[in-house]
Amino acid sequence: TQLLEQSPQFLSIQEGENLTVYCNSSSVFSSLQWYRQEPGEGPVLLVTVVTGGEVKKLKRLTFQFGDARKDSSLHITAAQPGDTGLYLCRGGSEKLVFGKGTKLTVNP
Amino acid sequence: DVKVTQSSRYLVKRTGEKVFLECVQDMDHENMFWYRQDPGLGLRLIYFSYDVKMKEKGDIPEGYSVSREKKERFSLILESASTNQTSMYLCASRSPGQGASYTFGSGTRLTVV
């Protein structure tokens, strides 16, 4: 079974701070996705990375796929309260292997 | 955009009841999934389906069954609800191809009393 470990599990920061969350595995994935889930809602796809070393930017969010395609990071610049949510990474192919997520709280 | 609709946002059922959770997607996707999400345990796959009338067990199928009679609809059935099935249930639909994306419904929060 492929496993994805996310860290930290919880993160509480002030508005304007920068942060990085991580998604690590001992397995190689053909692609990796990041989702954000707001309270009471389903996860929403943010980005898909498929190439080792790939970097994608989505406004203040920067996603990186590790060279060996076993890990990924999500960096948020100047966090805002609207960034609050559960950030999930997902890898694998058929069975949707998810990490347990990082619960981010951005305080005004 | 793909839309995945779960029929109920909140449900309260009694122990022993048969419970149906309905999920409908509007993009003709072949692959659909049912997860439950619990604090500290993350998303756990219950069942998935590759096509009409096809189903595969996920990681925690015990106490659940599914039905896929039409491509757009994937139903999760709790044959005899128990309190340990109190959870958030999420349905997802997957687009085809490499790096396929998953679209989730808004979830059904089920409480079994």
Side-chain angles (χ1 to χ4, degrees):
Chain A
T1 302
Q2 297 171 310
L3 294 175
L4 281 166
E5 299 289 336
Q6 289 192 245
S7 60
Q9 188 176 358
F10 299 97
L11 186 58
S12 181
I13 62 171
Q14 294 300 121
E15 182 176 2
E17 292 184 18
N18 301 332
L19 66 114
T20 302
V21 299
Y22 301 92
C23 175
N24 295 294
S25 175
S26 58
S27 301
V28 176
F29 292 105
S30 59
S31 65
L32 193 139
Q33 296 174 335
W34 284 93
Y35 293 78
R36 179 170 63 214
Q37 184 178 18
E38 297 182 9
E41 298 293 331
V44 175
L45 178 67
L46 295 174
V47 77
T48 300
V49 286
V50 297
T51 305
E54 182 177 3
V55 176
K56 281 192 174 179
K57 291 192 174 184
L58 184 66
K59 296 183 181 178
R60 294 175 293 99
L61 279 61
T62 301
F63 304 86
Q64 184 162 9
F65 201 14
D67 291 341
R69 291 185 288 123
K70 293 183 178 181
D71 55 85
S72 181
S73 63
L74 159 58
H75 181 79
I76 301 179
T77 303
Q80 298 177 1
D83 296 326
T84 292
L86 179 68
Y87 288 81
L88 295 161
C89 66
R90 173 251 147 192
S93 54
E94 299 304 317
K95 291 180 70 175
L96 257 181
V97 179
F98 277 95
K100 292 182 179 180
T102 293
K103 189 172 183 180
L104 172 66
T105 303
V106 182
N107 302 297
Chain B
D1 286 347
V2 177
K3 189 170 182 180
V4 177
T5 303
Q6 293 184 232
S7 54
S8 304
R9 292 298 298 269
Y10 301 94
L11 275 178
V12 180
K13 297 292 182 180
R14 296 193 179 277
T15 300
E17 279 192 75
K18 190 169 186 177
V19 181
F20 293 86
L21 302 183
E22 304 288 347
C23 176
V24 177
Q25 53 98 358
D26 65 0
M27 282 298 291
D28 203 35
H29 288 170
E30 293 179 346
N31 300 323
M32 297 185 73
F33 304 79
W34 274 106
Y35 281 83
R36 62 178 285 178
Q37 186 176 32
D38 301 286
L41 297 177
L43 286 161
R44 292 182 291 168
L45 181 64
I46 305 171
Y47 266 97
F48 60 105
S49 170
Y50 287 128
D51 206 343
V52 175
K53 297 193 184 295
M54 292 183 66
K55 59 185 178 183
E56 295 282 345
K57 292 181 179 179
D59 299 317
I60 52 163
E62 296 78 19
Y64 303 94
S65 62
V66 290
S67 174
R68 186 102 182 261
E69 295 297 319
K70 293 185 178 181
K71 198 172 190 178
E72 67 269 20
R73 186 179 298 269
F74 191 34
S75 303
L76 180 69
I77 304 157
L78 286 65
E79 297 290 343
S80 177
S82 63
T83 55
N84 63 11
Q85 292 179 309
T86 291
S87 186
M88 170 70 120
Y89 288 88
L90 290 162
C91 174
S93 169
R94 188 180 77 177
S95 63
Q98 185 186 16
S101 65
Y102 296 80
T103 302
F104 285 85
S106 296
T108 296
R109 183 160 292 282
L110 173 67
T111 302
V112 183
V113 298

